[in-house]
């Protein structure tokens, strides 16, 4: 399978590494409403690492086509206005994916090797989306009769992050640490990759279309910037 330049294929072989239970606690969803067939919720992610609000976008389907974790809700370029990632998230939800977006800003470009690497909040978001959504094939990739992968079920938009149980020598990883699962990844915030610049230039259209193809979502032709920003 060939991957577009925006998207990286990540094969994950480690189980969720949350360690102590208090590393990831969530309050009941609040502010629940429906927007063009997508259920919008607010959840609080919290643990001994702190507390962060998150936006959850759920299609009306009982079994969603895929589940996607965003690491941040905005990209904040130095000296420029931030780019909102919620319109991209809403576009993907309308295409059939369940989405969780922690409400925080990604600094671009990163100041140093530790910038944007906070892992616990993103791992907690991944834990929430896996626990609270039903996905096809128990989360494993969908394959054809010959065993080739036709599309994956989980996606991640963000940089590699430090594991919440990391030692001072930080080990970077994809936060979707589910045993044997595959993740279609848009590596936003990584200095060596062009995904961040692409999202800043087109609002996430090419990145969303890349995820759409690799996760088997409904066709995406545009990002509804104005309506999404106003509604969310």
């Amino acid at each position: 399978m060939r991957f577009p330049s925006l998207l990286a294929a990540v094969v994950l072989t480690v189980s969720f590494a949350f360690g102590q239970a208090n590393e990831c606690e969530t309050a009941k969803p609040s502010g629940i409403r429906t927007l063009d067939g997508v259920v919008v919720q607010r959840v609080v992610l919290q643990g001994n690492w702190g507390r962060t609000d998150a936006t959850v976008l759920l299609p009306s389907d009982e079994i969603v086509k895929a589940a996607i974790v965003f690491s941040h809700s905005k990209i904040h370029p130095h000296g420029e206005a931030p780019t909102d990632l919620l319109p991209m998230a809403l576009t993907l939800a309308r295409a059939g994916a369940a989405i969780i977006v922690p409400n925080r800003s990604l600094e671009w470009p990163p100041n140093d090797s530790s910038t944007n690497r906070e892992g616990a909040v993103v791992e907690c978001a991944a834990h929430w989306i896996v626990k609270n959504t039903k996905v096809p094939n128990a989360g494993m990739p969908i394959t054809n009769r010959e065993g080739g992968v036709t599309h994956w079920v989980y996606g991640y938009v963000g940089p590699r992050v430090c594991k919440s149980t990391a030692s001072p020598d930080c080990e970077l990883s994809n936060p979707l640490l589910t045993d044997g699962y595959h993740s279609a990844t848009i590596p936003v915030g990584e200095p060596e990759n062009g995904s961040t610049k692409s999202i800043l230039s087109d609002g996430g259209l090419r990145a969303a279309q890349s995820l759409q193809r690799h996760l088997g979502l409904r066709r995406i032709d545009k990002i509804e910037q104005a309506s999404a920003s106003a509604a969310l």
Side-chain angles (χ1 to χ4, degrees), residues 25-145:
E25 301 173 357
T26 57
K28 291 183 178 180
S30 63
I32 301 173
R33 58 201 178 93
T34 302
L35 177 65
D36 294 337
V38 174
V39 177
V40 182
Q41 302 177 351
R42 308 292 183 186
V43 297
V44 176
L45 308 174
Q46 58 189 356
N48 53 14
W49 44 267
R51 171 190 172 106
T52 301
D53 294 334
T55 301
V56 175
L57 305 169
L58 301 174
S60 58
D61 311 291
E62 181 179 355
I63 300 178
V64 299
K65 292 181 178 294
I68 302 172
V69 177
F70 280 65
S71 64
H72 298 76
S73 58
K74 296 180 185 294
I75 301 175
H76 198 165
H78 294 176
E80 300 179 27
T83 293
D84 190 354
L85 295 179
L86 285 174
M88 176 183 168
L90 180 59
T91 299
L92 288 162
R94 287 173 174 164
I99 314 288
I100 186 167
V101 188
N103 298 331
R104 58 193 193 134
S105 292
L106 181 146
E107 298 299 320
W108 180 257
N111 294 321
D112 53 44
S113 60
S114 65
T115 302
N116 306 320
R117 302 293 190 186
E118 308 91 342
V121 60
V122 190
E123 288 181 4
C124 193
H127 178 72
W128 191 97
I129 203 75
V130 170
K131 181 180 179 181
N132 290 279
T133 57
K134 294 182 180 180
V135 296
N137 204 33
M140 300 303 292
I142 309 299
T143 59
N144 56 28
R145 292 182 179 180

Side-chain angles (χ1 to χ4, degrees), residues 165-187:
T165 55
S167 67
D169 297 325
C170 178
E171 180 182 352
L172 299 181
S173 67
N174 184 300
L176 280 171
L177 299 179
T178 48
D179 192 11
Y181 292 169
H182 295 53
S183 170
T185 300
I186 302 295

Side-chain angles (χ1 to χ4, degrees), residues 203-220:
L205 178 59
R206 281 174 289 177
Q209 289 173 333
S210 183
L211 286 170
Q212 173 254 308
R213 290 190 296 270
H214 286 83
L215 296 174
L217 305 179
R218 291 186 285 273
R219 178 171 172 170
I220 293 173

